[in-house]
Amino acid sequence: MGEEQLDVVGRGCVAVTLRARRPAYSVMQECLRLQAAAPPRTSADRFWGRHPLRPEARSWYQGALGEIRVARVLDELGPDWTVLHSVPVGSGESDIDHVVLGPPGVFTLNTKHHDDKKVWVGGNVFMVNGSRTWHIRNSLSEAARASRLLSARAGGPVDVTPVLVVVGARSIRFGEKQPPVVVLPEAHVGRWLRSLPAVHSDEAVTYLAMLAEERATWHTQGLVLDDTLRHEQRFQRLQREIALAGRRRRRWALGAAVGTVAASVGAGITLLGGVLAAVTSSIG
């Protein structure tokens, strides 16, 4: 390691391969960027448990949580597999949520976190709570792009299979027409991948993994100074703030509910006392 790289490490960043890149890196960055514009939280905000997340950052926050959940599933694939997260592509900020390589081939996983939503899939249509999305088109485009980039690097054709991973949905229903991409809930991803037949030798998998973990395979900027740890720590602090605010809101809601019940019981006792007094007076 040269002096320049040592100096970079000393400042908390290091040039690394994509194998070291943590899940949801890109969406965490955008979430934290948007959240940075939020005004400082006051004592009243904390006391009442007001939600700390800016509305503009909420979809990015949910997206990061979804990618992290899928990454945990992929961690269980085993040593025969290579899993890369938040793979940067092109020349800008675009990325692929997960690239997975193993004996059955190469896969791009597009994670969609639709918490407690109803999902319907049929043909090229992917609907969430009745609203049409571009998820299938984007997943096909993502896999085709990955295939072009890997093929160019390998010097021969490399097929890539697109997979749409749905996180947190209340239900997933399929129409009669088969979608052109694989659509799976997060819990089924690992089992599905392991069930596929091998199409690559161990040597081919090792070679493709070596190419895939190089940033230059995917992005015009071949060198990256990665400060993943700092972003993860900031995102985890944000998660703790959100969880604490949620607990406070639930406590206040429970207190209000108990107070309402107590007030109703008190009113009932007062009414009953009045009735009994009237009855006693009439008997006397």
Side-chain angles (χ1 to χ4, degrees):
M1 184 180 290
E3 291 182 3
E4 181 180 353
Q5 192 169 356
L6 279 170
D7 183 51
V8 172
V9 174
R11 294 199 300 271
C13 300
V14 62
V16 296
T17 69
L18 294 179
R19 192 183 287 267
R21 196 168 167 96
R22 300 295 297 161
Y25 179 77
S26 297
V27 284
M28 272 188 207
Q29 275 190 310
E30 186 61 15
C31 174
L32 293 170
R33 185 188 71 78
L34 293 169
Q35 185 63 18
R41 284 171 61 74
T42 65
S43 298
D45 290 335
R46 292 186 171 87
F47 182 78
W48 293 109
R50 294 185 181 121
H51 204 298
L53 199 60
R54 294 186 69 208
E56 297 87 343
R58 290 185 182 181
S59 63
W60 296 96
Y61 180 78
Q62 289 298 319
L65 295 183
E67 290 186 36
I68 291 168
R69 283 172 60 170
V70 172
R72 292 195 189 111
V73 174
L74 297 175
D75 283 343
E76 299 174 0
L77 283 174
D80 293 336
W81 297 80
T82 295
V83 179
L84 306 174
H85 304 293
S86 195
V87 176
V89 290
S91 58
E93 301 299 322
S94 298
D95 76 337
I96 299 171
D97 295 343
H98 316 276
V99 174
V100 179
L101 304 95
V106 183
F107 306 84
T108 52
L109 274 59
N110 188 359
T111 296
K112 295 301 175 186
H113 192 178
H114 293 302
D115 200 30
D116 202 33
K117 303 289 197 306
K118 294 180 179 179
V119 170
W120 186 92
V121 186
N124 289 309
V125 179
F126 189 111
M127 301 183 75
V128 179
N129 277 0
S131 296
R132 189 163 181 162
T133 72
W134 295 106
H135 293 348
I136 289 178
R137 184 199 67 174
N138 293 343
S139 294
L140 288 169
S141 175
E142 189 173 80
R145 189 177 194 182
S147 178
R148 288 195 302 271
L149 293 170
L150 271 175
S151 298
R153 195 71 167 175
V158 178
D159 292 331
V160 176
T161 301
V163 182
L164 254 171
V165 185
V166 183
V167 177
R170 185 190 308 177
S171 63
I172 304 176
R173 295 175 53 228
F174 291 88
E176 293 182 3
K177 194 171 182 181
Q178 187 80 8
V181 304
V182 178
V183 180
L184 296 168
E186 59 177 299
H188 295 176
V189 172
R191 184 171 62 215
W192 178 78
L193 286 170
R194 285 190 293 267
S195 72
L196 299 174
V199 298
H200 291 311
S201 66
D202 292 343
E203 292 77 12
V205 172
T206 300
Y207 177 64
L208 288 173
M210 180 185 69
L211 297 179
E213 71 179 35
E214 295 178 6
R215 182 181 171 99
T217 298
W218 308 95
H219 202 274
T220 55
Q221 182 187 351
L223 177 67
V224 59
L225 301 180
D226 202 325
D227 55 354
T228 297
L229 180 60
R230 183 171 64 87
H231 280 89
E232 276 194 315
Q233 290 171 340
R234 289 173 58 201
F235 190 79
Q236 288 166 0
R237 284 198 297 271
L238 179 59
Q239 283 183 283
R240 289 193 292 271
E241 286 183 15
I242 291 171
L244 178 59
R247 288 196 295 271
R248 285 191 176 274
R249 288 196 303 276
R250 288 191 292 273
R251 286 174 188 164
W252 283 116
L254 179 60
V258 170
T260 300
V261 171
S264 299
V265 171
I269 291 172
T270 301
L271 178 61
L272 179 60
V275 171
L276 290 174
V279 170
T280 302
S281 175
S282 64
I283 293 174

